[in-house]
Amino acid sequence: MCRGKLGIVIGMIFLSGWFGSVWAADLKIGVVDVQRAVNESQAGVEAKKVLTKEAEKLQHLYEEKQKELQTIKESLDKQSLMLNSEARAAKEKDFQNKLKEFQRWQEDNQNEMNQKRTEMERNVALGLQKVIQKIGADEGYTFVLVKNESIVLYSSKSIDLTDRVIKAFDAQKK
């Protein structure tokens, strides 16, 4: 089975070399750095500002909860010599439960922020995709590829449409 696929690939390479000059005249290729467009578009910048404000609020709450836990721990340490073993064990268990609750709260909030960031990037990328498709269709592009290291290893700046896509996307929002 692998030899059959290899043969097809070799045949395609041969044919593209044979007909390459004919096809090259008809091809119009562009690339877009979608991640850069998400980060630099007005919608992306605004979304990141909202996420940053939420992260700052969470950081403030985190610090408050951490201080609260530190106060409880210090109180427990001071009282531990005066408490009998049962009371000490109960207070330590209570502290451990609060610590676990804090850790779960922190993890949940981190996951929620990650989901919000992913959702924001996805929403902006979907809007950008519509703009890219419109530019591609209106200007007769054969292909518009996503520019990143794993797909497009090199592209000339002359075929990079990222700045134009950002401008067109931002213009839609006005």
Side-chain angles (χ1 to χ4, degrees), residues 7-117:
I8 292 171
V9 170
I10 291 172
M12 289 177 69
I13 292 170
F14 173 74
L15 286 176
S16 68
W18 185 269
F19 294 109
S21 61
V22 173
W23 287 344
D26 296 337
L27 287 179
K28 187 173 180 183
I29 299 173
V31 295
V32 177
D33 186 339
V34 175
Q35 190 60 51
R36 185 173 74 104
V38 167
N39 291 332
E40 294 179 11
S41 67
Q42 289 174 357
V45 169
E46 289 301 316
K48 285 189 189 284
K49 284 180 186 177
V50 169
L51 289 173
T52 300
K53 284 183 181 180
E54 283 187 46
E56 288 170 356
K57 286 179 188 176
L58 284 174
Q59 181 63 30
H60 182 68
L61 284 172
Y62 170 82
E63 290 168 1
E64 285 179 8
K65 288 179 180 274
Q66 199 172 28
K67 285 179 186 177
E68 183 181 312
L69 281 172
Q70 184 63 33
T71 302
I72 293 170
K73 177 69 172 150
E74 288 171 359
S75 175
L76 178 63
D77 289 345
K78 287 179 184 176
Q79 293 177 1
S80 69
L81 296 175
M82 294 182 268
L83 298 172
N84 64 33
S85 62
E86 290 173 4
R88 186 178 333 118
K91 286 198 177 254
E92 285 177 1
K93 185 177 179 180
D94 184 48
F95 174 74
Q96 289 301 321
N97 287 338
K98 287 182 181 187
L99 182 61
K100 285 179 186 177
E101 184 180 303
F102 170 72
Q103 290 169 338
R104 269 188 249 124
W105 174 84
Q106 183 182 14
E107 187 177 315
D108 289 347
N109 281 300
Q110 184 65 42
N111 289 337
E112 185 178 327
M113 288 300 294
N114 288 339
Q115 286 176 343
K116 285 181 180 180
R117 181 179 28 80

Side-chain angles (χ1 to χ4, degrees), residues 1-12:
M1 187 67 180
C2 286
R3 285 186 178 167
K5 288 182 181 178
L6 182 61
I8 292 171
V9 170
I10 291 172
M12 289 177 69

